Amino acid sequence: MKKSVKILAAVTAFILIGGILWFANGFLGNPISKALANNTAKKYIAKNYSDMDLNISEVSYSFKDGNYHVYVKSPTSKDTYFNISISPLGKLQYDSYENDVTKRNNTYIRLNEEYGEKVKEVFEDKNFPYESDICFGELKEITSKELESEYTNFGPIYGIDLSKLELDKSYDINEMGKKYGHIVFYAKDEDISIKKASEILLHIKKILDEKNVSFYAMDFSLQKPRSEDENINPNDKSIDIQEFLYSDIYEKGLENRIKENSQKLEKYYEEQDKIKDKQEQLIKEQEE
């Protein structure tokens, strides 16, 4: 009896240990597969990128896709870094070099982060006079579809064509901002009026000009202040404008331009809601 109990305990312990190892492998990976991934990546780099100066900076396991991700970068090129994905058995899954480096996504990320930091410094300055839950700046990227057009519902098409960016080139961020800068700012005030929106918009532009932070267009919203635990009331009045051009932010006639943009945006949302309702109705009919 004692012997059978010992055997049962041993089997139970073995199962528990196996379960723990299986669970750990699923979330953390294992050193053997990690070594395989590292070796596969080295051979792959030697074969495909022998003319480049590249180093493996990290090998990590992702429980989301079950693969090992080998992060590769160049010590001499700030925009040359990419990811090689390898299965636990050492089989290549994909290589992000073309998307990250050749298509200049890394270059865009670098410039966009630099611009975003400049805008952030202004909005987070202790002397900045307006409180906001949503405020940021970005260099807008133009899509292939937008390249075929000149205008949207709210104004001219603008944005960076990534194919025109040069690898590792230093750009004048302020000049980039003038052409491609897009700022989003949600202001809070008890006075929800076109006049107040006009005053705040003019003041924000003045502050950004003084800080040498340029932009091409802005999305702006004026809303009632609310506490952190207070839910958004969809019936609350607000003034919202989208893709409002820097060149249109000047005092004369500003209130009319804000009103026109706001009405256009409201109409656009109504049209999108109708499209959504039709799609939902169509899905419902197909299910029936």
Side-chain angles (χ1 to χ4, degrees), residues 34-235:
K34 185 174 183 180
L36 274 174
N38 190 57
N39 289 333
T40 299
K42 285 180 178 179
K43 292 176 182 178
Y44 180 78
I45 292 168
K47 180 181 178 180
N48 294 275
Y49 304 107
S50 58
D51 59 334
M52 298 175 64
D53 182 17
L54 296 173
N55 296 326
I56 292 176
S57 63
E58 184 185 356
V59 180
S60 64
Y61 175 77
S62 172
F63 71 88
K64 292 182 179 179
D65 60 15
N67 293 324
Y68 288 81
H69 295 268
V70 181
Y71 298 95
V72 183
K73 67 179 182 179
S74 167
T76 56
S77 170
K78 55 190 172 185
D79 292 337
T80 302
Y81 58 93
F82 58 100
N83 171 35
I84 300 173
S85 178
I86 299 170
S87 75
L89 296 178
K91 183 179 179 181
L92 178 75
Q93 299 299 304
Y94 72 84
D95 166 5
S96 68
Y97 179 85
E98 182 180 355
N99 182 70
D100 296 345
V101 182
T102 304
K103 291 185 177 179
R104 300 297 188 262
N105 276 292
N106 288 347
T107 306
Y108 167 71
I109 289 170
R110 169 171 60 87
L111 298 173
N112 188 48
E113 287 179 349
E114 188 175 343
Y115 179 76
E117 282 301 314
K118 284 195 71 175
V119 176
K120 184 179 178 181
E121 286 178 8
V122 176
F123 290 157
E124 292 190 355
D125 187 286
K126 63 180 181 179
N127 296 316
F128 189 74
Y130 302 107
E131 183 184 352
S132 176
D133 291 333
I134 303 174
C135 55
F136 62 90
E138 62 182 354
L139 292 175
K140 191 173 180 182
E141 176 188 352
I142 195 167
T143 65
S144 56
K145 184 178 180 180
E146 288 174 332
L147 283 169
E148 300 171 1
S149 308
E150 292 185 14
Y151 292 91
T152 66
N153 293 331
F154 300 96
I157 292 288
Y158 70 101
I160 298 176
D161 179 356
L162 268 59
S163 66
K164 302 293 177 59
L165 291 176
E166 295 181 37
L167 196 72
D168 297 329
K169 180 177 178 179
S170 294
Y171 288 87
D172 185 329
I173 289 298
N174 198 44
E175 287 301 314
M176 297 285 280
K178 288 178 182 178
K179 296 177 182 178
Y180 316 118
H182 174 234
I183 286 178
V184 175
F185 194 90
Y186 283 35
K188 298 178 180 181
D189 201 281
E190 293 293 345
D191 180 8
I192 307 299
S193 65
I194 295 292
K195 182 178 180 181
K196 176 55 71 172
S198 174
E199 290 174 0
I200 295 175
L201 202 57
L202 281 169
H203 195 195
I204 289 176
K205 178 188 177 184
K206 180 182 178 183
I207 294 170
L208 290 170
D209 284 344
E210 290 172 350
K211 299 293 184 179
N212 199 33
V213 177
S214 57
F215 64 96
Y216 183 83
M218 180 186 292
D219 293 354
F220 176 84
S221 179
L222 179 59
Q223 305 173 344
K224 287 271 190 180
R226 62 176 184 274
S227 60
E228 293 183 2
D229 58 347
E230 187 177 353
N231 293 326
I232 297 174
N233 186 344
N235 296 318

